[in-house]
Amino acid sequence: MNRDDFPILETGIIYFDNGATTMKPKCVVDKVVEYYTEYTSNAHRGDYDTSLRVDKEYESVRTKVKNLINAARDEEIVFTKGTTESLNTIVFGYMQKILKKNDEVLISKSEHASNVLPWMILKEKIGIEVKYVDLDENYAVTVENVKRAITDKTKVISLAHVTNVIGDIRDIVEIGKIAKENNILFVVDAAQSIGHVKIDVQKANIDFLGFSAHKMLGPTGIGVLYGKYELLNETDTLEYGGGMNAFFESDCSYELKEVPWKFEAGTQNIAGVIGMGRAIDYILKIGLDKIHEHELELKKYAVSELKKVPNIKIYNENTDSGIIAFNIDKVFSQDTAIFLNRFNICVRSGNHCAKILKDEIGITNTCRASFYVYNTKEEVDKLIEALKRQDEVYDNIV
Ligand SMILES: Cc1ncc(COP(=O)(O)O)c(C=O)c1O
């Protein structure tokens, strides 16, 4: 699917590390280069043509993001460095103000560090309780288990839409409904789902959400914090400086700009924002349903082929995204990844920043192959061929 749009693939690389970051289509790179070569200027600061063009392009991306996730208004979209900054802003800009000692925040043991550590730090700061939803036999979060984990102290449910090792897709519409019925705030980490499956923040009653552009064919260093307008208004920015203030005086009086601009202190990643806009156009042109279908087909194919290879353990064969976590029996995952690199195959190895998942799956490190639009069955065949040569894993490794 659309391989010609990705010049890097001409090098022969077999890139199965899309959970970490994705390749960039030429149109995204061109759009970024266009900004740098044709109209470089700062945003929201100039009165000349190139600057006005920047403002128009930059703000138009807010609308594109709003439409992508079906937010109610442009002002609910804040540009951040990525998911990590978005989640930190939610936790320390809002939750720290409204949560109290012993309030419970519900997460799961398969969350990424950026949806775990901020909560742990908040526990340390103000004494909230961090609780974990039980995972089912496929290491997935079910609606039933979420219901069961809720107590009268639960104030927040914060979950990834799709997890980055197990790849289970959480039923965010149902979970959002339960959260609303119980007067619980619902935070969604969309790092692994944006650009892979549809997200409708209004339908799922999501209060806050974060994602990164680099995981959906866009540039690095740019992402989004979504928040319901009234909640963003109550959220403190974590940074102060130029561009985000309405005025400040020598007597220390000041006023910040309105949402979302109060969150965008200093010169922003303008090229990143513009590139992210182009990535959104590109993804929507293919269609999210088609992308998801393609990834699932690749996953099913890969799982059935992997099962024919001796000594392979798959940890998540029953989840519905394009992520496969596996190991060769008795081989350290990093050794497998280094071995696969000999065949120009890129997989991720390690704990994938999901460091407490080991409590559930009983192992710290796995290899992860994660698929995206440009991957093919032929590439999966090459992975299988390489894994069949597993006896050679330790040749050439010093
Ligand atoms: C589920 C999940 N959440 C959050 C993140 C953090 O994203 P970023 O490093 O772009 O901030 C990742 C990155 O791998 C992820 O997979």
Side-chain angles (χ1 to χ4, degrees):
M1 201 197 282
N2 314 82
R3 283 177 67 84
D4 293 347
D5 296 337
F6 297 84
I8 198 170
L9 298 177
E10 287 165 22
T11 62
I13 194 172
I14 297 177
Y15 188 76
F16 288 151
D17 196 14
N18 296 288
T21 198
T22 59
M23 306 281 99
K24 319 304 169 199
K26 189 165 180 306
C27 62
V28 167
V29 178
D30 288 348
K31 189 74 188 167
V32 171
V33 170
E34 183 187 79
Y35 162 70
Y36 282 127
T37 52
E38 291 183 21
Y39 61 101
T40 295
S41 304
N42 214 322
H44 306 317
R45 285 157 173 78
D47 299 299
Y48 43 90
D49 283 352
T50 51
S51 168
L52 297 174
R53 181 166 171 201
V54 166
D55 292 352
K56 204 164 144 226
E57 295 266 359
Y58 184 90
E59 289 303 326
S60 76
V61 178
R62 234 185 270 283
T63 312
K64 285 181 204 260
V65 174
K66 179 201 95 168
N67 293 336
L68 178 70
I69 62 173
N70 193 32
R73 49 196 286 187
D74 287 5
E75 291 83 353
E76 294 181 329
I77 307 303
V78 178
F79 297 128
T80 63
K81 286 207 299 280
T83 317
T84 303
E85 183 183 340
S86 303
L87 291 170
N88 274 272
T89 305
I90 296 163
V91 174
F92 300 111
Y94 183 73
M95 300 299 177
Q96 185 169 342
K97 291 202 305 188
I98 62 127
L99 295 181
K100 309 221 161 27
K101 193 170 171 9
N102 298 328
D103 281 348
E104 291 177 5
V105 173
L106 209 50
I107 62 171
S108 82
K109 288 193 180 170
S110 48
E111 301 304 308
H112 183 278
S114 55
N115 189 31
V116 179
L117 266 180
W119 298 115
M120 289 182 170
I121 305 297
L122 197 61
K123 174 183 167 77
E124 206 171 81
K125 281 179 185 250
I126 64 171
I128 59 157
E129 290 297 328
V130 177
K131 295 276 171 116
Y132 305 100
V133 183
D134 284 341
L135 303 183
D136 73 2
E137 66 282 3
N138 294 315
Y139 312 118
V141 162
T142 62
V143 173
E144 273 318 303
N145 283 353
V146 171
K147 269 191 204 159
R148 217 168 287 137
I150 290 174
T151 73
D152 55 3
K153 289 188 189 149
T154 310
K155 294 292 184 297
V156 183
I157 297 173
S158 186
L159 293 171
H161 184 188
V162 175
T163 49
N164 67 320
V165 183
I166 297 302
D168 55 317
I169 304 179
R170 277 81 182 262
D171 186 347
I172 52 172
V173 172
E174 271 312 301
I175 298 172
K177 208 162 115 195
I178 294 163
K180 191 174 182 185
E181 283 163 9
N182 289 279
N183 212 11
I184 294 169
L185 287 158
F186 187 31
V187 178
V188 173
D189 168 357
Q192 294 293 340
S193 59
I194 196 78
H196 294 265
V197 285
K198 281 186 180 152
I199 299 171
D200 182 330
V201 291
Q202 294 189 75
K203 194 169 164 202
N205 186 46
I206 294 169
D207 291 298
F208 289 104
L209 171 141
F211 67 82
S212 308
H214 71 96
K215 292 188 196 280
M216 45 158 280
L217 310 178
T220 52
I222 187 70
V224 165
L225 159 65
Y226 157 82
K228 281 185 184 155
Y229 187 70
E230 59 281 12
L231 296 178
L232 280 183
N233 261 324
E234 297 300 317
T235 304
D236 290 341
T237 177
L238 305 185
E239 282 192 329
Y240 298 84
M244 54 78 75
N245 66 81
F247 72 82
F248 55 93
E249 300 289 348
S250 48
D251 65 359
C252 295
S253 59
Y254 69 89
E255 194 179 300
L256 304 185
K257 281 190 181 163
E258 308 265 288
V259 165
W261 298 283
K262 78 168 182 185
F263 293 104
E264 294 171 14
T267 297
Q268 295 296 293
N269 182 352
I270 299 163
V273 170
I274 290 170
M276 173 165 68
R278 192 66 193 83
I280 292 172
D281 295 342
Y282 183 88
I283 280 167
L284 291 180
K285 201 162 159 219
I286 302 175
L288 283 161
D289 289 339
K290 210 166 152 197
I291 292 174
H292 182 54
E293 208 178 290
H294 176 71
E295 288 174 14
L296 207 51
E297 197 182 320
L298 281 180
K299 170 160 180 182
K300 283 185 180 151
Y301 178 68
V303 166
S304 74
E305 293 303 303
L306 277 170
K307 282 179 156 178
K308 296 177 196 160
V309 182
N311 305 320
I312 299 286
K313 176 161 175 58
I314 304 171
Y315 297 90
N316 65 337
E317 71 175 271
N318 295 321
T319 55
D320 281 342
S321 63
I323 297 176
I324 303 180
F326 68 95
N327 270 326
I328 305 175
D329 191 30
K330 299 195 178 66
V331 176
F332 183 52
S333 66
Q334 197 173 8
D335 291 333
T336 304
I338 292 168
F339 170 68
L340 291 174
N341 182 46
R342 270 170 45 197
F343 303 90
N344 222 355
I345 297 172
C346 312
V347 297
R348 169 104 179 252
S349 70
N351 55 52
H352 319 288
C353 294
K355 292 192 175 165
I356 48 180
L357 179 63
K358 67 175 184 313
D359 295 0
E360 300 283 332
I361 64 173
I363 188 156
T364 319
N365 298 313
T366 56
C367 288
R368 179 184 70 186
S370 45
F371 305 128
Y372 209 13
V373 284
Y374 31 72
N375 292 126
T376 63
K377 285 187 177 166
E378 291 70 32
E379 288 181 317
V380 172
D381 289 340
K382 295 216 168 99
L383 170 70
I384 302 297
E385 274 167 41
L387 288 171
K388 281 184 181 158
R389 294 170 60 173
Q390 55 190 254
D391 287 349
E392 300 168 34
V393 165
Y394 292 112
D395 296 353
N396 305 326
I397 295 181
V398 282

